[in-house]
Amino acid sequence: MADDERSRLLGIKSNLEHRAKIFELTRAFFCGNGFLELDTPVRVPSVAPESEIVPFSSEDWFLSTSPELYMKRLLAAGYDKIFQISHCFRKGEQGRYHNPEFTLLEWYRIGADYMQMVSDTEQLVLAIAAGLQTTPLIHYKNQTIDISTPWPRLTVHDVFVNVAGWDPVAELEPSRFDVDLVTRVVPSFVSDRPTVLLDYPAALASLARIKPDNPGVAERAEVFIGGLELANAYSELNDVQEQKQRFVAEIEKIWQKESYKASLSVKFLEAMVHLPACGGIALGMDRLVMLFCDAGSMAEVIPFTVDEA
Amino acid sequence: MATDIENVRKNSKLLINKTPFNVDDVEFMKPGKGRAIYRLRLRNLFDNSTVDSTYHSGEKVELADVTSNEIQYLYSEGDHYVFMDIVSFEQYFISDKIVGDKKNYLKDGTIVTGLMMDKRPIDITLPNFVELKVVESAVSSKTDTITAQNKSVVMETGLNIGVPSFIKEGDTIKIDTRTGVYVERITAKK
């Protein structure tokens, strides 16, 4: 073993010990709240078509980008509170806060909406902090973050109008939205508290349902702590016709970009007919570990990132 | 050769408006469901100036067709420095502007890495350490301590450098070219 690898791996040992403890506390939190842990395929015949998420091919199948479609097939069959911690793969996502292979925590509740999923996230992060015997103060990158609940909530409309000077809900420019979000909006969040960003423009609904009393926005929320985008919650769309239309529109974009051979997941759409109203959320475990370890990059909490594999 | 921005890494060489740039840093940013944004810190290989530039996923960039060759310094002539490729024996005239302050570490026979574009050298990288002879040394003052690098000497290349007081004219010393700092004495004057 090369000396530099040895010293690199020993240097992150305490982070990896924290990582194991955080996974243990996460499982204990969900099991204690009556959730069933599940394990669905990592190698899959189709992924949810999203034009900005590119899967790796595995012969004529793909590596999973998220367990979402399988989790919803289980919900449609009558499972009511489920969670999964799984490795997911997204091509080209590599940087300080990204690794093409990463660990995603997803959980779902029948009868819940996106706000319930946000409050679950608040309770989960508090439970982990308690389990690690830290106070409700996280020290991350020279910021002291008070994680006591409820976390401040902001709507996309309000924060974009205030910080970026335009309203993406009235008229969306997708590329400008992404740039302004990461370069202006997120840096404007208060640094001593988590921030929940709510009510994304309907065009960015992805798999979330449209807000009944405001058709311009989707019931989608994102949680940010210490500048890290940590989790993405939905009141899940359960209208199969609308879902099919959204998938077809995304598939057209993917084909236009000649990105990969996207197709409709027929088994998912068949099951969706029986999907009850529910809430779901995906949380990046590697970033959660970064937060509790005061780590500036994925490489400090993953022993073998793509650069070291 | 064109490539997707996704393939650009730290130290990739890009060609932008016919000018070669080194990618000094890549910052990858992406909202979970949104488009990836790449912020590059680019260093102009002709004049060493840096500039930040933003790209989006799906964009293409031109890779500069550059290679690294081992070249040996032979002599200087006017405002040019003459090097020879140690494999092909081809000779290159590299201008003062490219060599810059690196000339302070060049003596006959020094082997450096030449960055070549269109078979033309556009930059040179010095070895991390060079050994040079002291040609001029002032007498050190009485308050000098042994370890402090407290007197200035002139090297055979004309470089001025701080060294410990025991270094004498005619000694050969090792210097770190990245910091310009004295490392150790190699041989004392016979």
Side-chain angles (χ1 to χ4, degrees):
Chain A
M1 182 188 272
D3 282 349
D4 49 351
E5 168 150 311
R6 188 182 151 82
S7 85
R8 181 181 69 77
L9 291 174
L10 290 176
I12 58 171
K13 190 169 179 217
S14 106
N15 287 353
L16 297 183
E17 286 165 353
H18 267 79
R19 182 182 176 104
K21 183 75 183 159
I22 289 166
F23 277 57
E24 191 186 315
L25 290 164
T26 301
R27 289 197 158 92
F29 173 84
F30 285 107
C31 295
N33 283 291
F35 283 77
L36 176 66
E37 180 168 8
L38 289 159
D39 200 354
T40 63
V42 164
R43 185 171 175 270
V44 300
S46 61
V47 298
E50 296 184 80
S51 58
E52 300 300 343
I53 295 179
V54 183
F56 286 97
S57 296
S58 169
E59 296 190 334
D60 53 347
W61 283 25
F62 301 99
L63 298 183
S64 171
T65 54
S66 141
E68 183 164 3
L69 302 188
Y70 287 105
M71 296 299 264
K72 287 182 179 169
R73 283 162 71 177
L74 286 150
L75 294 165
Y79 288 73
D80 63 346
K81 287 160 84 177
I82 55 178
F83 81 103
Q84 174 160 197
I85 298 175
S86 60
H87 276 223
C88 294
F89 302 82
R90 295 180 183 179
K91 205 170 177 174
E93 301 197 5
Q94 185 180 349
R96 195 182 303 248
Y97 308 117
H98 295 81
N99 193 51
E101 177 174 357
F102 62 104
T103 306
L104 202 59
L105 161 68
E106 289 201 355
W107 72 96
Y108 293 84
R109 279 178 183 268
I110 295 289
D113 68 357
Y114 68 141
M115 296 313 292
Q116 172 67 47
M117 307 319 286
V118 169
S119 73
D120 281 353
T121 310
E122 292 175 331
Q123 296 310 315
L124 169 69
V125 173
L126 275 183
I128 291 170
L132 294 173
Q133 287 162 345
T134 64
T135 56
L137 295 176
I138 296 178
H139 299 280
Y140 186 68
K141 300 290 120 193
N142 300 321
Q143 309 161 74
T144 300
I145 306 164
D146 176 2
I147 55 166
S148 47
T149 62
W151 297 343
R153 283 132 166 87
L154 294 172
T155 66
V156 169
H157 168 272
D158 289 352
V159 73
F160 266 77
V161 167
N162 289 337
V163 176
W166 65 292
D167 178 10
V169 175
E171 192 178 0
L172 182 70
E173 295 172 53
S175 210
R176 187 178 173 199
F177 182 87
D178 293 335
V179 172
D180 281 357
L181 179 66
V182 296
T183 61
R184 301 173 80 171
V185 171
V186 176
S188 79
F189 293 162
V190 291
S191 61
D192 59 350
R193 294 282 283 149
T195 298
V196 182
L197 191 57
L198 297 175
D199 298 345
Y200 278 64
L204 301 175
S206 194
L207 283 79
R209 85 173 170 223
I210 301 301
K211 208 175 175 75
D213 58 0
N214 184 356
V217 301
E219 290 191 348
R220 176 179 162 197
E222 295 230 19
V223 176
F224 296 84
I225 307 182
L228 296 175
E229 180 193 335
L230 199 64
N232 182 31
Y234 297 151
S235 301
E236 300 292 351
L237 176 66
N238 65 346
D239 176 332
V240 68
Q241 287 313 318
E242 187 174 343
Q243 183 68 79
K244 200 169 167 180
Q245 282 170 13
R246 289 191 200 174
F247 276 177
V248 168
E250 287 297 306
I251 287 172
E252 276 172 8
K253 283 190 217 166
I254 293 163
W255 281 77
Q256 265 170 25
K257 289 203 288 189
E258 297 178 1
S259 172
Y260 69 97
K261 222 176 123 192
S263 62
L264 280 178
S265 172
V266 176
K267 284 181 178 161
F268 166 70
L269 289 171
E270 282 172 2
M272 202 182 170
V273 176
H274 305 287
L275 185 68
C278 57
I281 186 164
L283 181 150
M285 286 301 283
D286 308 293
R287 291 188 192 162
L288 185 66
V289 176
M290 281 172 68
L291 198 63
F292 280 106
C293 293
D294 194 12
S297 76
M298 286 263 186
E300 292 168 47
V301 297
I302 298 177
F304 304 101
T305 60
V306 66
D307 287 329
E308 306 287 351
Chain B
M1 186 179 64
T3 189
D4 293 325
I5 184 70
E6 284 80 355
N7 300 326
V8 172
R9 299 278 177 270
K10 192 173 174 175
N11 290 324
S12 292
K13 311 284 188 293
L14 305 184
L15 195 64
I16 302 165
N17 297 328
K18 294 184 180 169
T19 305
F21 288 86
N22 186 67
V23 177
D24 282 357
D25 198 25
V26 183
E27 194 183 354
F28 175 83
M29 298 184 292
K30 183 181 185 300
K33 302 283 182 186
R35 202 170 175 196
I37 297 154
Y38 299 79
R39 275 218 285 218
L40 307 189
R41 168 66 54 90
L42 297 168
R43 182 165 50 86
N44 184 322
L45 288 170
F46 285 151
D47 64 13
N48 265 329
S49 61
T50 57
V51 60
D52 290 332
S53 203
T54 301
Y55 293 83
H56 298 93
S57 62
E59 289 185 49
K60 289 197 183 296
V61 288
E62 193 70 23
L63 286 180
D65 185 12
V66 294
T67 54
S68 291
N69 294 5
E70 301 291 296
I71 56 176
Q72 185 170 35
Y73 173 58
L74 301 180
Y75 57 91
S76 67
E77 192 180 273
D79 56 359
H80 280 76
Y81 292 77
V82 183
F83 289 81
M84 180 183 72
D85 187 308
I86 63 169
V87 177
S88 69
F89 303 118
E90 194 158 341
Q91 289 194 8
Y92 299 106
F93 288 73
I94 303 184
S95 85
D96 217 7
K97 266 163 81 178
I98 291 174
V99 175
D101 289 342
K102 293 170 192 160
K103 70 170 189 276
N104 290 328
Y105 300 98
L106 287 177
K107 65 175 181 180
D108 297 0
T110 302
I111 293 174
V112 303
T113 305
L115 192 67
M116 319 292 285
M117 187 170 80
D118 298 331
K119 295 185 175 171
R120 209 161 54 89
I122 55 170
D123 195 16
I124 63 166
T125 307
L126 293 167
N128 291 343
F129 300 99
V130 293
E131 292 173 8
L132 297 175
K133 191 184 265 187
V134 177
V135 295
E136 210 179 303
S137 166
V139 179
S140 54
S141 69
K142 284 185 181 135
T143 52
D144 290 344
T145 59
I146 298 283
T147 50
Q149 299 185 3
N150 44 20
K151 72 170 183 181
S152 176
V153 295
V154 181
M155 311 307 300
E156 58 186 308
T157 57
L159 174 69
N160 270 284
I161 185 173
V163 295
S165 52
F166 61 79
I167 297 294
K168 305 279 183 297
E169 201 176 299
D171 288 352
T172 298
I173 63 171
K174 185 172 175 180
I175 303 165
D176 188 327
T177 61
R178 295 161 296 184
T179 56
V181 169
Y182 162 89
V183 180
E184 61 182 347
R185 180 165 67 180
I186 301 297
T187 54
K189 186 188 177 187
K190 297 280 161 27

